């Protein structure tokens, strides 16, 4: 290890490495409990993956659900988690999440700038045992980032590919629906014009949108709280190695703008670096399609390179790759930006719309396109048998004009530039489209023919699109009888190639319930904690509902912050079972 004793030294109670929701929720909770906290962030901006996200938290039995009178019980939530996690069900961790989640929401809304609003999201598998059609997902309330003052410049901007000239949309309320309807509804037209005028004013005055939504609002609200509590968020300051003294982690060496510095943490160091989505070496072993030589293109921040995992391993921590899905899969298209550069567009909305289908290279459909992004991603991996995980979204002219396709916007926005730069393939006939896109022509023609036979009656006879409330939630409620299904009509036709991406890793550093990092013997490493996507997910590699990353991330951040302050002793003795123990105590899927 680098000799550190002669370096400039900063002292605190808690050092948090990373500034996303996991790191900031831990830091805020610890500070509110009386501890002195420092946050270091490797990138020049704060907010982490959270600032790119939808800002939704899956928190069953939240105060918002109770206020709305949604029928739900702890037993049903546990039942659903058992069904969803299968043999990876971790009872103590799940129970801590379910019991502490509502408490976390109440704490942050009472004590901080964070605010939430309810959503109408169903669980992603509402027909599974314990699943519900509404009530378990909440959303960060919009925020005017002028509240950050000069630190507004340090807030990570939203993912550029899912904004329109920097303007954010929210799929969880009526906002985006107005944009889809603005050529068909005078009320929507007025709404869109007002939004555009206000946004242009913001760009002129501030060179960015200031009324932010989704994860950008959550990141801003957390940062505002941290800064108001005098928690320094030291950006451009990557942690490079942990400092260990007699088997206890007592701090870290970080490299700030002034050079190397030694940060001593009396209570503990918390790893919150966002997981390993861009650690090429680790994902080559962890992701089945990458392991087989296939393509992966993640929309998460480029700084998520597994720094926390590497630091934990160097002091005896364990990072096991055990879940069948080691990450939250996200079908992604590659948007040409020029000079050989591409931006990632996560396909969160278009797959649900009627008249859009997904096919493989051989032209055949292979899954219900209106399932969750994670489920469609898992189907892509299975259908491609590893290496070839690509799929193509296909639709006709009327459909793309109405809904858009990926980064290509609905009419009246032009499609020509996307055809010319290769983002979209186009053909006057299905056969010509297939030839231009690299799809088997006969297979595509047959797939469309078979799909249309049922679609004319609003049925998906192959995969049952529209069967669940979740399938229908992001579809087109104005399209009858099935909001997810419409025939593919006359040409010209369009196709868009989709590759695999992720929203963050599920596998991660092994911890106990309160977040203490465990060694190979499953014993806590004194002074070292992990939260956020650095910590192995409580969801067992599955994706039960909207917000199952941020919900546990903030809940366990809250638990970890309280434990560091000595306020969660009842949870501190329970360790995550070993792999063999998990298998022996398996719960049937």
């Amino acid at each position: 290890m680098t000799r550190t004793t002669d370096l400039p030294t900063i002292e605190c109670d808690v050092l948090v490495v990373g500034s996303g929701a996991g790191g900031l929720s831990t830091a805020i909770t610890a500070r509110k409990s009386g501890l002195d906290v420092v946050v270091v962030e490797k990138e020049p901006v704060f907010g982490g993956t959270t600032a790119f996200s939808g800002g939704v938290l899956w928190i069953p039995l939240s105060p918002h659900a109770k206020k709305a009178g949604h029928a739900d019980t702890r037993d049903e939530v546990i039942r659903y988690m058992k069904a969803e996690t299968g043999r990876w069900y971790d009872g103590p961790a799940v129970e801590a999440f379910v019991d502490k989640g509502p408490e976390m929401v109440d704490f942050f809304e009472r004590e901080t700038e964070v605010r939430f609003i309810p959503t109408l999201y169903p669980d992603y598998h509402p027909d599974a045992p314990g699943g519900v059609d509404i009530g378990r997902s909440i959303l960060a309330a919009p925020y005017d980032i002028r509240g950050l003052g000069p630190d507004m410049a340090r807030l990570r901007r939203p993912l550029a590919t899912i904004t329109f000239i920097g303007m954010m949309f929210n799929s969880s309320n009526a906002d985006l629906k107005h944009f889809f309807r603005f050529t068909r509804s005078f009320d929507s037209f007025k709404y869109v014009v007002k939004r555009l005028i206000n946004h242009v004013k913001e760009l002129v005055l501030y060179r960015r949108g200031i009324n932010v939504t989704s994860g950008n609002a959550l990141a801003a609200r957390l940062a505002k709280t941290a800064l108001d509590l005098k928690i320094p968020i030291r950006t451009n300051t990557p942690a490079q190695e942990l400092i260990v003294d007699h088997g206890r982690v007592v701090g870290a060496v970080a490299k700030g703008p002034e050079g190397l510095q030694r940060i001593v943490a009396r209570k503990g160091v918390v790893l919150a670096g966002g997981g390993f989505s861009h650690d090429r070496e680790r994902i080559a072993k962890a992701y089945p399609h990458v392991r087989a030589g296939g393509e992966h293109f993640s929309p998460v921040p480029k700084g998520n390179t597994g720094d926390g995992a590497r630091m934990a391993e160097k002091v005896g921590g364990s990072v096991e790759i055990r879940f069948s899905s080691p990450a939250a899969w996200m079908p992604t298209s590659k948007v040409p930006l020029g000079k050989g550069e591409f931006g990632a567009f996560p396909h969160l909305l278009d797959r649900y719309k009627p008249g859009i289908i997904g096919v493989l290279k051989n032209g055949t459909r292979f899954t219900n396109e209106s399932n969750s992004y994670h489920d469609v991603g898992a189907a892509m991996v299975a259908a491609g048998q590893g290496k070839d995980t690509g799929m193509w979204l296909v639709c006709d002219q009327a459909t793309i004009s109405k809904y858009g396709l990926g980064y290509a916007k609905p009419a009246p926005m032009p499609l020509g530039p996307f055809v010319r730069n290769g983002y979209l393939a186009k053909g006057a006939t299905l056969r010509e489209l297939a030839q231009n896109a690299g799809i088997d022509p006969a297979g595509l023609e047959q797939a469309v023919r078979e799909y249309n036979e049922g679609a004319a009656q609003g049925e998906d006879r192959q995969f049952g699109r529209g069967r669940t409330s979740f399938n229908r939630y992001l579809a087109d409620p104005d399209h009858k009888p099935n909001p997810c299904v419409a025939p593919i009509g006359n040409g010209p036709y369009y196709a868009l190639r989709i590759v695999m991406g992720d929203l963050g890793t599920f596998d991660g550093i092994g911890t106990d319930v309160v977040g203490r990092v465990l060694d190979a013997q499953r014993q806590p490493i004194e002074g070292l904690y992990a939260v956020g996507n650095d910590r192995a997910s409580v969801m067992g590699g599955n994706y039960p509902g909207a917000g199952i990353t941020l919900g546990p991330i903030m809940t366990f951040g809250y638990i970890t912050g309280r434990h560091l302050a000595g306020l969660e002793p009842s949870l501190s003795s329970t360790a995550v079972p070993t792999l063999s123990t998990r298998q022996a105590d398996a719960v049937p899927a």
Side-chain angles (χ1 to χ4, degrees):
M1 281 191 177
T2 303
R3 182 177 176 84
T4 64
T5 53
D6 296 330
L7 295 175
T9 299
I10 299 170
E11 293 190 6
C12 60
D13 292 320
V14 178
L15 170 63
V16 176
V17 182
S19 65
L24 292 182
S25 60
T26 306
I28 290 165
T29 305
R31 183 74 186 98
K32 281 283 189 177
S33 302
L35 301 183
D36 180 26
V37 184
V38 171
V39 176
V40 295
E41 166 61 55
K42 68 187 289 187
E43 301 212 53
V45 290
F46 52 69
T49 308
T50 303
F52 277 179
S53 74
V56 180
L57 281 70
W58 195 74
I59 302 288
L61 310 174
S62 76
H64 293 280
K66 291 179 179 178
K67 184 177 179 180
H70 295 308
D72 202 0
T73 67
R74 184 179 188 275
D75 287 346
E76 285 298 282
V77 177
I78 298 294
R79 184 175 176 229
Y80 186 58
M81 286 294 290
K82 286 181 177 180
E84 289 294 290
T85 58
R87 68 189 182 99
W88 300 111
Y89 178 73
D90 182 349
V94 168
E95 291 180 16
F97 164 61
V98 173
D99 292 339
K100 291 292 182 177
E103 183 181 307
M104 177 275 294
V105 171
D106 179 70
F107 167 81
F108 274 92
E109 292 199 307
R110 185 182 68 250
E111 299 285 340
T112 80
E113 292 288 327
V114 175
R115 298 291 182 272
F116 298 106
I117 54 179
T119 78
L120 300 177
Y121 264 115
D123 285 341
Y124 285 178
H125 308 126
D127 51 347
V132 298
D133 289 325
I134 191 174
R136 291 176 178 169
S137 295
I138 57 177
L139 170 70
Y143 185 68
D144 184 335
I145 61 174
R146 288 176 294 185
L148 288 168
D151 288 301
M152 178 173 72
R154 293 199 296 154
L155 173 67
R156 183 186 294 280
R157 292 173 182 261
L159 187 64
T161 54
I162 58 173
T163 68
F164 179 66
I165 58 172
M167 182 167 58
M168 299 185 66
F169 304 100
N170 202 318
S171 64
S172 301
N173 59 26
D175 183 60
L176 192 58
K177 295 175 183 177
H178 283 298
F179 282 81
F180 281 126
R181 295 172 177 168
F182 89 105
T183 60
R184 295 176 283 134
S185 161
F186 184 63
D187 287 341
S188 292
F189 175 81
K190 289 190 297 182
Y191 179 92
V192 169
V193 170
K194 182 179 178 180
R195 281 273 271 132
L196 287 171
I197 291 172
N198 288 338
H199 181 67
V200 169
K201 288 180 180 178
E202 293 173 9
L203 293 179
V204 171
L205 293 172
Y206 305 102
R207 300 170 66 180
R208 67 186 294 173
I210 59 168
N211 291 294
V212 301
T213 64
S214 306
N216 217 245
L218 179 59
R221 288 177 174 278
L222 287 166
K224 168 65 173 172
T225 300
L227 294 168
D228 283 352
L229 291 171
K230 308 302 182 186
I231 300 172
I233 304 176
R234 299 175 180 267
T235 47
N236 281 312
T237 306
Q240 296 194 332
E241 64 177 271
L242 298 171
I243 302 171
V244 181
D245 183 21
H246 294 91
R248 177 183 176 85
V249 174
V250 297
V253 174
K255 186 175 183 180
E258 302 84 15
L260 290 175
Q261 54 191 294
R262 184 171 173 261
I263 305 178
V264 175
R266 292 178 287 268
K267 295 287 187 178
V269 175
V270 181
L271 302 174
F276 56 83
S277 294
H278 289 294
D279 181 345
R280 299 305 302 177
E281 182 178 348
R282 199 179 296 271
I283 71 170
K285 299 175 182 176
Y287 294 0
H289 54 291
V290 179
R291 193 165 58 240
E295 187 173 8
H296 191 85
F297 195 65
S298 177
V300 307
K302 300 297 184 185
N304 294 5
T305 53
D307 301 349
R310 284 192 295 275
M311 286 191 286
E313 288 174 326
K314 285 183 180 179
V315 299
S318 178
V319 180
E320 294 180 311
I321 305 302
R322 57 193 185 277
F323 300 143
S324 56
S325 290
W329 302 135
M330 170 55 72
T332 303
S333 56
K334 300 173 68 174
V335 181
L337 302 178
K339 299 181 180 179
E341 297 293 321
F342 294 89
F345 182 91
H347 284 259
L348 295 158
L349 297 172
D350 50 7
R351 296 175 293 100
Y352 303 89
K353 300 298 189 286
I356 298 174
I357 63 171
V359 301
L360 300 172
K361 188 180 181 69
N362 63 10
T364 62
R365 288 180 70 213
F366 63 101
T367 192
N368 179 339
E369 299 89 346
S370 297
N371 282 342
S372 77
Y373 35 83
H374 180 73
D375 289 348
V376 171
M380 287 170 65
V381 173
Q385 297 182 340
K387 185 175 182 179
D388 185 7
T389 54
M391 86 166 171
W392 284 257
L393 295 181
V394 175
C395 68
D396 61 27
Q397 180 69 59
T399 298
I400 198 171
S401 295
K402 188 174 184 179
Y403 305 114
L405 191 64
Y407 190 62
K409 305 298 187 289
M413 301 303 293
L415 298 175
F418 299 108
V419 176
R420 289 191 291 273
N421 70 12
Y423 182 67
L424 294 176
K426 181 180 180 181
T429 65
L430 287 172
R431 178 164 291 271
E432 182 181 342
L433 174 71
Q435 292 168 342
N436 291 339
I439 305 170
D440 178 71
L444 179 61
E445 289 176 332
Q446 181 178 347
V448 170
R449 185 164 53 249
E450 291 174 351
Y451 168 77
N452 278 352
E453 287 175 359
Q457 287 78 47
E459 301 173 2
D460 176 11
R461 295 173 182 172
Q462 288 77 41
F463 297 100
R465 278 177 74 175
R467 180 176 52 84
T468 70
S469 56
F470 175 70
N471 278 185
R472 299 187 293 271
Y473 180 67
L474 293 173
D476 182 355
D478 295 332
H479 182 80
K480 308 296 182 183
N482 187 335
C484 301
V485 176
I488 294 177
N490 298 323
Y493 302 96
Y494 295 85
L496 171 57
R497 186 170 188 268
I498 310 297
V499 300
M500 184 62 71
D502 70 80
L503 294 179
T505 46
F506 281 150
D507 277 314
I509 302 167
T511 70
D512 65 7
V513 172
V514 298
R516 295 182 297 181
V517 173
L518 303 177
D519 63 18
Q521 288 72 46
R522 315 303 288 179
Q523 296 301 308
I525 297 172
E526 289 189 57
L528 186 62
Y529 296 76
V531 298
N533 284 343
D534 270 357
R535 169 181 172 154
S537 171
V538 72
M539 296 297 166
N542 207 348
Y543 214 113
I548 60 88
T549 51
L550 284 175
I553 279 172
M554 286 194 64
T555 300
F556 285 112
Y558 170 74
I559 290 171
T560 296
R562 284 175 55 81
H563 177 76
L564 283 159
L567 300 177
E568 289 289 1
S570 62
L571 297 176
S572 63
S573 63
T574 306
V576 174
T578 62
L579 180 59
S580 59
T581 302
R582 287 176 182 266
Q583 291 173 328
D585 297 336
V587 178

